Amino acid sequence: MNFHVIKEADLFFLTDKYGFVPDKAKDSYGYGLFTRDTRVLSRFECSFAPLEFTLLDSDTTHNYQNAYRLMNKPATDGSVDRDSLFVTRSQIVDGERLIENMTIRNYGDRQAILPVEYRLDSDFDDMFEVRGYAPHVKKSAVQRVAHDNYLSFIYSALDGQVLQTVVHLNVLGNPSANVNYRASQGDSTLSVRTILEIPAGEEVVLVVTVYPLTDGTIIPTLPVVDPVMIQAKISQRYDAWMNSVPRVRSTRSFDRWYEQGLRDVRMLLTDVGYGTLPTAGVPWYAVPFGRDSLITSLQLLPVAPEVARATLLTMAVHQGTQVRPDRDEQPGKIMHEMRVGELTRIGAVPFGPYFGSIDSTLLFLILVVEYFSFTLDESLLGEILPHVSRALAWIEDYGDRDDDGFVEYYQEASGGIANQGWKDSGDSVRHQNGDFAKAPIALCEVQGYAYKALMGCAALYDHAGMKTEADRCRKSADQLAARFIKEFWLEDRSSIALALDGDKHPVAVVSSNMGQVLFSGILPQPIADQLIDRLMQDDMFTGYGIRTLSQEERVYNPLSYHNGSVWPHDNSLIFLGMQKYGHTVAMSRVISGLLKAASHFELYRLPELFCGFSIAQASSPVPYLVSCSPQAWAAATPVLALQALLGLTVDGYNKMIILSPTLLADMPFMEIQGLRLGSGQLDLMISRTNQGDVVTTVVTNTTGWQVSIVENRLGGDDRKAVETVNAG
């Protein structure tokens, strides 16, 4: 992962490994400072010429702050001694601005003269332009002005919105330094330059502040910022988040994976008016997504149910209200993606919001059901039930395009997405012979989602006293299950077809999609048993995780986005399904594989995906170079691993918590403090006896709900009798 990214709220800074945003003509990766889907800084480079410095190391452990440490090379004229100047460049984003705090310490025995110049630019490109996916649109020129005490870049967008980026430099501890703001020679960038006089044994601090202004403000105010105070405030926000989620103590590797995941989730949270919800990931998807935000919220339910609440409210507000083929919208449908950049605002791309996702509506219903079962939040239920009814109506009126009983997709928006399941790349749904499946396409996991949504809504309607609606949902779910087994189950391959194409022919490749079907509960136990065995064969399970496509398929490619790679979130839904069907050995192998993969990535941070090479082929997982990292549903995967290892099932209607814990092979114990269920919390201690049995102790239970424990023997698939522990 050859980039660094820091983020707070809706502002993120993407740099190369040196902490710079290089000239895009020389490196077009897409580096920059971004807010509201707009690159507000497209160049940020620092020079000490003619003196040169060597990067010693970088500290990227904080999601909102990076630090780079440098040491000087000897000056060619002998004016500065070798290894005498030590520079720390600390970069912080606080949601409103970017701050670079540069400290220069002179360890030499004589004064050092050091020129410092920052070269900057802004192109105000829309995110789609940055990524190379934008239609050609003639834009106005950026105004670049060097004022007496700041630099400004001003852009008038095509919809009339005025954007501005302001840069200010302040020198602390060196009052004699003159700061010059000027237009750079030889190109259209601006620069700010100063010459520092640093006495022996002393230090000088430079503070560069970049303000993105998106509210039309032209004349900026330039307050002196205190980077230490800002860093402290953001650190307190992270502390508050980490103190609000359950604390887990087990093996060092699992603890690091879990804690890093939660910190990354916190980084990706944003508020668009209805509470903080997870954006999909940085750098390219730092916006609300239907599928991604909903799945991440589902993964987080036992630790942060308020995230699910905010996600549901946000999705409900933006629920489809009309038939608009230009953005794949229909009444009751839940959005796929919401952008606010210039190209979206002028209608050049259909993303304000865009609805080309076949599963977001189903996942919305599943999250409503699961959230209510975890919390019994009656206030939200009353508010959300009308949206539930509209989403269910969408399934019946628009989800089944050809009345065959399955939910399928067909792209209508010309600038939209062709494949509208979670594998949304253009080549992700292909037959065994390599032919592309033609639409409308009914994906296997989507039918599972629909079944789970219908069954869950039946229970929800029962609770609300709406018997007619409950019976209708239950009947539809039963009919779907019967049709699904008949049309999708491939007996000769012990697998489930990836999809049915527009001619109702099975796309009979072996894929990870069938593993997600387990999560829904649509399969009878004997078929689930065969399916799990098939998933754990070497052509699917790499040792690091389950591949998106079998190694035996013609179009398999371990380097591809969806045809052979490994996706952590995909695996998380699969191992949760394995747990629900009682296959804790297979579940543990998948979780252990992901944990092994995480140990090879910086900070134990699993990226969006990695290449599908097996442990036998690669001693560490091979990165997928344009993978987002962090990515929300990858970050939340260890939280779902915790839920699966606990064997946690919550029946809020009957105020019952069911646990069936499993410990990984190298886990002697697991201590959990603060699981958030019902209106209280649950503290647990899980340990392994000398005989290998897994024993669970309920340390504290303030939920007011009853706890039942089904204990595993030897971490296997056989179970002991149920032991009931009363609430209290």
Side-chain angles (χ1 to χ4, degrees):
M1 317 306 292
N2 202 27
F3 61 83
H4 293 157
V5 61
I6 50 178
K7 177 182 179 294
E8 180 68 5
D10 189 47
L11 184 69
F12 72 89
F13 189 43
L14 174 68
T15 71
D16 63 16
K17 63 183 180 180
Y18 302 103
F20 294 133
V21 177
D23 181 357
K24 63 184 181 181
K26 299 177 181 178
D27 189 335
S28 59
Y29 180 77
Y31 304 109
L33 180 67
F34 294 82
T35 187
R36 297 184 60 78
D37 274 332
T38 304
R39 180 161 60 183
V40 294
L41 198 67
S42 56
R43 190 170 182 182
F44 184 82
E45 293 183 294
C46 179
S47 169
F48 305 95
L51 201 62
E52 295 182 0
F53 279 74
T54 299
L55 179 67
L56 300 176
D57 74 343
S58 56
D59 180 357
T60 60
T61 56
H62 298 291
N63 292 336
Y64 55 88
Q65 178 180 16
N66 284 336
Y68 304 88
R69 301 178 183 92
L70 306 94
M71 178 180 67
N72 71 293
K73 297 179 181 179
T76 55
D77 61 0
S79 60
V80 178
D81 295 334
R82 180 192 182 104
D83 305 344
S84 61
L85 297 180
F86 179 66
V87 174
T88 300
R89 297 171 52 230
S90 176
Q91 298 170 343
I92 305 172
V93 289
D94 70 347
E96 298 180 8
R97 74 211 97 191
L98 163 69
I99 304 162
E100 172 153 305
N101 189 49
M102 180 189 292
T103 302
I104 307 166
R105 180 80 182 183
N106 183 2
Y107 285 101
D109 56 8
R110 55 177 171 157
Q111 175 177 276
I113 307 296
L114 182 66
V116 182
E117 181 177 35
Y118 283 88
R119 183 165 292 188
L120 307 105
D121 198 11
S122 180
D123 55 14
F124 296 99
D125 276 357
D126 186 286
M127 179 62 82
F128 287 100
E129 293 176 289
V130 174
R131 297 176 59 208
Y133 297 148
H136 177 70
V137 175
K138 186 176 181 180
K139 299 170 58 174
S140 60
V142 175
Q143 300 177 49
R144 300 171 174 87
V145 183
H147 302 270
D148 290 341
N149 63 336
Y150 66 93
L151 305 174
S152 68
F153 304 87
I154 304 172
Y155 174 68
S156 296
L158 295 175
D159 64 339
Q161 184 173 351
V162 177
L163 309 175
Q164 184 176 191
T165 301
V166 174
V167 182
H168 178 251
L169 184 147
N170 192 34
V171 180
L172 308 178
N174 200 173
S176 63
N178 292 318
V179 179
N180 298 311
Y181 297 86
R182 61 187 185 180
S184 299
Q185 305 226 340
D187 58 34
S188 60
T189 62
L190 300 179
S191 69
V192 54
R193 178 181 171 86
T194 185
I195 298 177
L196 304 175
E197 298 176 359
I198 312 172
E202 296 189 18
E203 67 182 27
V204 174
V205 177
L206 276 70
V207 180
V208 178
T209 311
V210 181
Y211 302 88
L213 305 172
T214 59
D215 60 358
T217 303
I218 297 299
I219 304 300
T221 58
L222 299 172
V224 177
V225 298
D226 183 346
V228 175
M229 182 178 295
I230 289 175
Q231 190 274 340
K233 286 182 178 179
I234 306 175
S235 180
Q236 289 171 4
R237 296 175 199 168
Y238 270 82
D239 289 344
W241 164 255
M242 294 303 293
N243 289 333
S244 73
V245 297
R247 291 165 295 286
V248 174
R249 189 169 66 90
S250 185
T251 60
R252 180 174 178 271
S253 58
F254 189 87
D255 294 353
R256 288 189 64 185
W257 186 35
Y258 172 81
E259 290 174 10
Q260 185 62 45
L262 285 172
R263 290 186 179 278
D264 288 344
V265 166
R266 165 60 182 78
M267 175 188 186
L268 295 170
L269 293 179
T270 196
D271 189 342
V272 295
Y274 311 96
T276 52
L277 81 160
T279 57
V282 286
W284 312 126
Y285 302 106
V287 295
F289 268 72
R291 178 189 303 121
D292 298 57
S293 299
L294 289 161
I295 287 179
T296 303
S297 299
L298 195 65
Q299 294 169 311
L300 293 172
L301 265 177
V303 304
E306 71 279 1
V307 172
R309 194 180 204 278
T311 299
L312 291 171
L313 289 172
T314 303
M315 297 301 153
V317 166
H318 296 284
Q319 190 172 24
T321 59
Q322 57 189 315
V323 175
R324 283 195 57 175
D326 62 318
R327 58 184 192 182
D328 284 319
E329 178 183 358
Q330 295 111 29
K333 196 175 186 182
I334 298 299
M335 72 171 181
H336 169 68
E337 178 181 0
M338 184 167 66
R339 298 280 180 174
V340 294
E342 178 182 21
L343 295 181
T344 297
R345 298 196 306 271
I346 66 172
V349 293
F351 286 87
Y354 174 62
F355 290 84
S357 169
I358 193 59
D359 47 11
S360 292
T361 310
L362 309 173
L363 290 164
F364 171 79
L365 293 170
I366 291 171
L367 185 60
V368 170
V369 170
E370 294 294 313
Y371 171 79
F372 185 74
S373 187
F374 269 76
T375 64
L376 287 186
D377 185 348
E378 296 284 358
S379 63
L380 180 72
L381 183 60
E383 187 174 351
I384 212 79
L385 265 180
H387 298 279
V388 168
S389 297
R390 292 174 207 155
L392 287 168
W394 174 84
I395 297 175
E396 187 171 324
D397 297 339
Y398 299 97
D400 183 4
R401 288 180 169 267
D402 52 14
D403 297 321
D404 67 343
F406 296 122
V407 178
E408 54 236 340
Y409 64 82
Y410 185 91
Q411 176 193 358
E412 293 180 316
S414 61
I417 298 171
N419 283 323
Q420 297 184 356
W422 82 263
K423 293 179 179 175
D424 55 5
S425 55
D427 64 349
S428 63
V429 186
R430 299 171 69 177
H431 287 280
Q432 284 181 286
N433 64 2
D435 289 347
F436 289 83
K438 65 179 182 179
I441 293 172
L443 293 167
C444 63
E445 79 276 12
V446 169
Q447 315 319 310
Y449 294 168
Y451 173 83
K452 187 172 179 64
L454 289 165
M455 290 297 290
C457 287
L460 201 67
Y461 280 136
D462 280 337
H463 175 81
M466 304 168 69
K467 186 176 185 305
T468 300
E469 291 84 352
D471 289 345
R472 184 173 182 178
C473 286
R474 202 168 282 113
K475 180 180 178 181
S476 296
D478 290 341
Q479 291 173 343
L480 175 58
R483 284 192 299 268
F484 181 77
I485 299 303
K486 180 180 178 182
E487 300 295 334
F488 279 81
W489 176 240
L490 306 174
E491 181 70 39
D492 60 330
R493 307 198 78 189
S494 296
S495 64
I496 291 170
L498 167 59
L500 299 182
D501 68 9
D503 296 324
K504 305 305 157 190
H505 296 146
V507 181
V509 295
V510 176
S511 71
S512 65
N513 299 58
M514 67 183 185
Q516 288 197 24
V517 173
L518 295 165
F519 153 74
S520 70
I522 195 174
L523 301 176
Q525 186 73 45
I527 288 181
D529 293 342
Q530 293 183 62
L531 181 61
I532 291 169
D533 289 344
R534 181 68 189 86
L535 286 166
M536 297 309 295
Q537 293 178 18
D538 289 345
D539 64 307
M540 287 296 291
F541 183 61
T542 68
Y544 298 121
I546 293 172
R547 294 182 176 99
T548 47
L549 192 69
S550 166
Q551 196 173 5
E552 297 174 353
E553 298 297 344
R554 179 175 177 176
V555 299
Y556 165 76
N557 178 357
L559 304 173
S560 74
Y561 197 53
H562 286 134
N563 290 326
S565 55
V566 175
W567 287 64
H569 95 277
D570 181 31
N571 277 254
S572 78
L573 296 179
I574 294 171
F575 67 59
L576 184 64
M578 291 173 168
Q579 181 270 319
K580 290 181 179 297
Y581 279 98
H583 284 256
T584 56
V585 171
M587 173 202 77
S588 298
R589 288 184 64 198
V590 177
I591 293 174
S592 295
L594 292 171
L595 183 52
K596 183 186 292 289
S599 71
H600 290 283
F601 286 100
E602 187 177 13
L603 306 177
Y604 271 74
R605 173 185 286 158
L606 279 178
E608 175 187 16
L609 72 154
F610 50 89
C611 296
F613 297 102
S614 69
I615 285 180
Q617 295 171 302
S619 58
S620 62
V622 177
Y624 185 87
L625 290 182
V626 293
S627 174
C628 283
S629 184
Q631 181 88 348
W633 56 15
T637 289
V639 179
L640 203 61
L642 174 65
Q643 179 178 335
L645 289 171
L646 291 176
L648 174 65
T649 302
V650 180
D651 180 3
Y653 304 108
N654 296 303
K655 297 186 177 180
M656 176 69 72
I657 300 166
I658 302 169
L659 298 168
S660 181
T662 301
L663 292 174
L664 300 179
D666 64 343
M667 278 183 172
F669 73 96
M670 179 179 285
E671 181 181 6
I672 305 101
Q673 295 180 330
L675 274 177
R676 298 172 61 185
L677 305 169
S679 58
Q681 296 187 352
L682 194 65
D683 299 341
L684 303 169
M685 172 58 82
I686 303 164
S687 57
R688 197 192 310 275
T689 68
N690 292 334
Q691 291 73 36
D693 294 343
V694 175
V695 177
T696 304
T697 302
V698 178
V699 179
T700 307
N701 180 9
T702 63
T703 66
W705 296 2
Q706 191 177 55
V707 178
S708 290
I709 301 172
V710 182
E711 294 190 341
N712 286 334
R713 292 183 62 87
L714 306 176
D717 296 340
D718 50 329
R719 306 270 174 88
K720 285 184 178 179
V722 175
E723 174 191 353
T724 300
V725 181
N726 291 328

